[in-house]
Amino acid sequence: MRLSNLSFRYGRRDPWVLSGVRLAFDPGDVVEVVGPNGTGKSTLLRLLAGLLRPVKGAIEERPGTVGYAPERFPADQPFTVAAYLRHMADIRRVNPARIGEWTERLGMDHLLGRRLPELSKGSAHKVGLVQALVCEPGLLILDEPFAGLDAATRAELPRIIGEVSARGGIVVVSDHQGGLRTFPAIRRHEVRDGSVRDLPAEAVSAHAPVSGAATPTDTPTHDAPPAEAATRHAPAAEVAAGNAPADDAGDSAPVTVLEVAVAAPKAAELADRLRAEGHAVRVTREAAR
Amino acid sequence: MIALVRFRIAGYVRSHRALQPLIGLLPLLAILYAAPVPAGQEIGATADSAGILIPVFAWAARGLLDSEPDEQRMISITAAGRREIISGILAVYAFDLGLAAIAEAALLARLSSGPSPVVLLTGVCLHFLAVTAGVALGALTSRPILPSPAVSSLVLIFGYLAMLLLSASGARWLTVPVLTWMKDGHHGVLLDNLPGLAAWSLLWPVVGLAAYAWLRRTRP
């Protein structure tokens, strides 16, 4: 897929959101789009998905099957999860049996009978992911896919992205959560001031906001100063959430040592959870009383 | 595409927003048919019904197209491509034809004499033309085209009023000739003029729907 000199603005009197963008994606590419809020990341994703038309330039050779998971899943719809996903499978002409595979994998079988408006943000987000994945997309667009997800799904999502890539699909992700920071062979592009530029891999760790790694569902207590954590390239919440378990990172992966301060009654539970996820945990200082 | 049509109608009906057009339809039918339709006035009555129900059809069309959240519409576009627009129009047509069938049934039930095939076919034809006009008006006032609910509602109401006023004026060729349906129906000349009127009545809604499809290219 190629973006040839692509420019976009929402109206004739509006400023250009993107200008003269040239990008090329090969089958199997996994691309992370980064940049400050409001710079045009979601606009770029919508252009890639074919939802917006370039004002100038063109997007060529877009894969035929596009999966799109928006930043906010539209949960205000009068369906149960099962009924909604069945409708989506019918629209995609996909065997409805495939829905079960994905709901099981994302740990949401128990939600199938629930009505969409009753879902929590994270659960609704999973429905958005399933509808995008069920069609085996040749182009998978994920807008902030890690937001609100539980630890298990945060750990599973990079594997799923890897599988789409291995099948030859192109995956484009906008992510402020740092969920793909350890993903191998990922390409990163920064959207800023209307242009899109390549980022070297090592630049991204410092780029992703440390506070953004924490989510309401999986935030352990951590007192590490942001600057220090950024220098070490791994915020506490990300490791606690199991985003980079040892078996994924491989034996030769570099190890980051984090200091995590946690309320005394929760320390044992947190340590057990981290150990269960494959991290080495050592208690260095216990509460004085 | 049929699956997407089914999904959109199911979403509209399950959300109970489908009841809103009935608030307009049922009182209008009650007023129109408070007294039985006298013999010889059947064609005029069916023309009145078709002309008066256009805003109800437009309201239902706009409501159905707007019932799904914007992000869901984008998901549907990635799933179905540009067929999403056609599926929306088909869903609206199907729902509006259901409303038209209710109106037709009410009319037939209040005829003093038994309905002749000519009355029946004229009613179907005029209500189809009214539905087409309503679908076009509703689509052009839907959220992707007019994001402000207030502006959209006003354009729908004044669009219908403009249709009535223009069709009563010398410039009636500029719009759907709603008042000409009614006038010809009550003067007994509608059947003679129907082929020409039908073509004329379809012209502007087809232009409107083409404009809707063209505008939607840049308004997902």
Side-chain angles (χ1 to χ4, degrees):
Chain A
M1 184 166 75
R2 284 200 310 275
L3 281 67
S4 316
N5 204 21
L6 178 146
S7 298
F8 182 82
R9 61 184 172 187
Y10 283 95
R12 285 185 183 178
R13 293 178 184 176
D14 294 333
W16 291 100
V17 180
L18 297 167
S19 180
V21 176
R22 289 186 177 85
L23 286 174
F25 303 110
D26 293 322
D29 274 358
V30 177
V31 179
E32 185 177 13
V33 178
V34 299
N37 293 332
T39 51
K41 296 190 299 298
S42 291
T43 299
L44 177 62
L45 262 52
R46 288 177 181 186
L47 283 159
L48 291 171
L51 297 167
L52 296 173
R53 294 164 69 99
V55 175
K56 292 180 185 172
I59 299 177
E60 296 160 335
E61 298 171 33
R62 180 187 288 113
T65 308
V66 180
Y68 171 66
E71 182 177 0
R72 285 182 295 274
F73 176 76
D76 185 21
Q77 300 190 68
F79 298 103
T80 62
V81 172
Y84 173 80
L85 291 174
R86 253 197 324 273
H87 275 296
M88 290 300 109
D90 287 347
I91 292 166
R92 297 278 196 179
R93 296 178 187 172
V94 171
N95 183 354
R98 300 222 52 218
I99 296 168
E101 298 168 21
W102 284 107
T103 54
E104 185 184 354
R105 189 162 179 190
L106 296 186
M108 52 180 288
D109 276 344
H110 63 290
L111 299 173
L112 287 171
R114 295 268 295 276
R115 290 170 52 78
L116 290 176
E118 296 168 0
L119 297 178
S120 67
K121 181 189 172 192
S123 298
H125 206 65
K126 288 183 183 181
V127 179
L129 290 172
V130 171
Q131 65 78 26
L133 289 163
V134 78
C135 59
E136 292 201 357
L139 171 62
L140 178 61
I141 308 276
L142 303 174
D143 199 350
E144 298 294 342
F146 292 95
L149 292 182
D150 54 53
T153 313
R154 284 173 65 89
E156 188 65 17
L157 195 52
R159 293 191 194 102
I160 293 170
I161 289 171
E163 289 168 19
V164 174
S165 164
R167 212 179 53 233
I170 299 169
V171 184
V172 185
V173 182
S174 163
D175 179 26
H176 277 107
Q177 312 286 319
L180 291 176
R181 198 167 302 154
T182 58
F183 196 90
I186 192 168
R187 284 171 49 192
R188 289 180 168 98
H189 297 292
E190 184 186 40
V191 181
R192 192 186 281 268
D193 301 329
S195 64
V196 180
R197 66 184 181 95
D198 291 349
L199 277 186
E202 61 272 19
V204 177
S205 302
H207 188 282
V210 171
S211 59
T215 67
T217 56
D218 58 14
T219 308
T221 307
H222 64 96
D223 289 342
E228 185 184 346
T231 307
R232 292 174 180 183
H233 294 179
E238 184 186 356
V239 175
N243 194 46
D247 56 346
D248 274 4
D251 293 340
S252 60
V255 172
T256 301
V257 178
L258 295 179
E259 236 180 82
V260 178
V262 59
K266 294 181 179 174
E269 181 193 338
L270 177 62
D272 288 346
R273 187 151 53 106
L274 290 172
R275 287 192 186 102
E277 291 173 4
H279 305 294
V281 177
R282 185 160 59 94
V283 179
T284 55
R285 192 173 64 220
E286 298 209 35
R289 55 195 164 102
Chain B
M1 190 159 65
I2 299 302
L4 190 49
V5 171
R6 227 172 22 231
F7 171 68
R8 298 186 82 156
I9 292 177
Y12 186 50
V13 171
R14 282 164 175 258
S15 71
H16 301 163
R17 292 185 186 119
L19 295 175
Q20 291 172 2
L22 295 179
I23 297 169
L25 177 71
L26 297 179
L28 278 175
L29 293 180
I31 293 165
L32 279 172
Y33 306 122
V37 178
Q41 290 295 310
E42 295 89 350
I43 301 283
T46 204
D48 289 347
S49 167
I52 287 170
L53 292 180
I54 287 175
V56 174
F57 298 143
W59 188 10
R62 173 173 164 269
L64 193 152
L65 291 172
D66 287 353
S67 67
E68 66 181 4
D70 292 344
E71 295 287 7
Q72 178 55 47
R73 198 167 55 249
M74 294 192 186
I75 290 172
S76 298
I77 292 172
T78 55
R82 291 294 139 189
R83 285 174 298 160
E84 182 271 340
I85 296 173
I86 301 169
S87 77
I89 297 299
L90 288 179
V92 161
Y93 251 108
F95 188 81
D96 272 358
L97 287 174
L99 295 180
I102 294 172
E104 271 286 286
L107 169 68
L108 296 177
R110 297 296 282 160
L111 293 181
S112 298
S113 53
S116 68
V118 172
V119 169
L120 203 60
L121 285 175
T122 308
V124 168
C125 177
L126 286 176
H127 280 87
F128 175 77
L129 296 175
V131 164
T132 305
V135 168
L137 186 56
L140 286 170
T141 52
S142 62
R143 198 165 55 242
I145 310 299
L146 296 174
S148 159
V151 172
S152 157
S153 301
L154 288 173
V155 170
L156 192 152
I157 293 164
F158 285 106
Y160 175 66
L161 288 178
M163 205 183 287
L164 291 179
L165 290 174
L166 277 174
S167 65
S169 72
R172 59 179 174 273
W173 55 273
L174 274 174
T175 188
V176 179
V178 180
L179 290 183
T180 308
W181 302 349
M182 297 180 184
K183 198 171 63 183
D184 287 2
H186 286 286
H187 289 100
V189 293
L190 181 64
L191 292 178
D192 298 333
N193 298 337
L194 193 55
L197 270 181
W200 176 9
S201 302
L202 282 174
L203 174 67
W204 288 111
V206 168
V207 170
L209 288 173
Y212 170 72
W214 186 79
L215 290 168
R216 283 292 311 279
R217 290 179 323 133
T218 53
R219 293 170 170 82

